[in-house]
Amino acid sequence: MARLDGTVALVTGASSGIGEATAVALAAEGARVALVARRRDRLEALAGRLGGEAIVIEADVTDAEQAKAAVARVVEVAGRLDIVINNAGVMLLGSAVDAPYEEWERMVAVNVDGVLAVTHAALPHLLAAAETADRRVSDVVTISSTAGRIARAGSGVYNLTKFGVGAFSEALRQEVTQRHVRVGLVEPGATVSELRDHLRPELRAAQAKRFETMEPLQATDIAEAVVYMVTRDRRQAVNEMLIRPTEQE
Ligand code: NDP
């Protein structure tokens, strides 16, 4: 029997990178996965690879109504919700002085508002799952970043969003942990994905150079960390995992 047999997991940003790898890894552990992102074609392709059980939900998490509807849909189709992976995110680096303000708005919208909207909608279902399901524990894991621990020049608003979700997670953890909803944070360092494709060209080049100085993590490395967290016995909550490429300073 796989460790997550009978559970239902919702993964935001499942159309690429860390979210996609995490959805694959959770499904391999037996979870029925709900794949949430805007690019339906990518989600359909992934669902095809995973087999018949995956649930595809096209949604923009920055729209609270869409986030709420996504959660409701999962519960309608699958009957419950045990695991939420708040993974959707954008990283639009650059110095504050030169930054287009829309980039800041976008980061706050996806990395903060998206996490809040999905978590808010999911909490009643996670509390219910922790009380009634066989597993008697449920999980919210948010993908933060090393940028949620260390602020750097050129990364201020990204830092703000990731420090912010860290603060929210810790406060929420204290509120719900006695009801067996575990609240965790995974903080990756440089990981191969599409995250840097959205940078302005000059910044993309700088990031590509930075990658040349190290062997970066693969999305599957982070997926393994998530799986580790959500497969612990219910007495054990792994609240935080910081994972960097060995060569990252
Ligand atoms: P990708 O760009 O590969 O994936 C980002 C995902 O977020 C995509 O699936 C995208 O789907 C989704 N997304 C973006 N905007 C929205 C939206 N408005 N609504 C729904 N989904 C959205 O990057 P990563 O896999 O690297 O990023 C995943 C997480 O990991 C992010 O939170 C990022 O901050 C974090 N992280 C990444 C690191 C790295 O080096 N790669 C390091 C540290 C943290 P779609 O466009 O289809 O909507």
Side-chain angles (χ1 to χ4, degrees):
M1 183 173 154
R3 291 181 291 182
L4 296 177
D5 268 354
T7 66
V8 177
L10 181 159
V11 182
T12 69
S15 58
S16 69
I18 292 169
E20 179 178 345
T22 300
V24 171
L26 293 172
E29 291 289 348
R32 182 170 186 189
V33 288
L35 311 170
V36 178
R38 293 166 304 173
R39 287 172 293 177
R40 173 175 280 277
D41 53 334
R42 294 280 201 105
L43 299 179
E44 300 276 9
L46 175 58
R49 274 163 47 210
L50 293 177
E53 282 272 274
I55 304 162
V56 168
I57 302 174
E58 179 184 334
D60 181 337
V61 295
T62 68
D63 178 335
E65 287 307 315
Q66 290 189 40
K68 201 167 148 185
V71 169
R73 175 95 187 116
V74 177
V75 177
E76 182 192 318
V77 172
R80 65 194 234 200
L81 180 58
D82 301 87
I83 298 169
V84 169
I85 314 297
N86 281 315
N87 163 78
V90 287
M91 180 186 74
L92 306 169
L93 302 176
S95 68
V97 177
D98 307 325
Y101 193 70
E102 313 79 72
E103 291 194 347
W104 292 6
E105 291 180 312
R106 219 170 113 211
M107 280 191 283
V108 172
V110 183
N111 302 1
V112 178
D113 297 346
V115 169
L116 297 183
V118 171
T119 305
H120 186 265
L123 268 174
H125 305 293
L126 294 170
L127 285 162
E131 272 169 21
T132 55
D134 302 343
R135 193 167 158 256
R136 294 187 304 125
V137 68
S138 54
D139 289 274
V140 187
V141 178
T142 298
I143 309 300
S144 176
S145 171
T146 51
R149 284 180 158 238
I150 302 161
R152 290 192 196 280
S155 176
V157 177
Y158 187 63
N159 289 133
L160 180 154
T161 65
K162 295 300 189 181
F163 273 72
V165 293
F168 173 64
S169 293
E170 173 55 18
L172 179 63
R173 186 194 69 76
Q174 293 172 22
E175 290 181 28
V176 296
T177 196
Q178 293 214 331
R179 296 171 74 181
H180 287 95
V181 179
R182 296 183 294 208
V183 182
L185 269 189
V186 173
E187 298 155 322
T191 306
V192 176
S193 76
E194 296 174 18
L195 194 68
R196 290 161 186 81
D197 297 357
H198 310 290
L199 293 169
R200 281 172 271 144
E202 64 279 16
L203 295 160
R204 209 179 310 149
Q207 282 287 310
K209 264 215 165 84
R210 184 162 172 261
F211 262 62
E212 282 168 18
T213 67
M214 68 179 94
E215 186 180 352
L217 299 173
Q218 298 296 322
T220 48
D221 298 330
I222 306 307
E224 271 183 42
V226 174
V227 167
Y228 181 81
M229 272 187 171
V230 303
T231 53
R232 294 311 86 201
D233 184 86
R234 82 191 275 269
R235 72 175 182 280
Q236 184 186 357
V238 177
N239 299 134
E240 198 168 355
M241 290 176 84
L242 170 64
I243 308 146
R244 294 188 181 99
T246 307
E247 293 161 330
Q248 181 173 332
E249 289 166 357

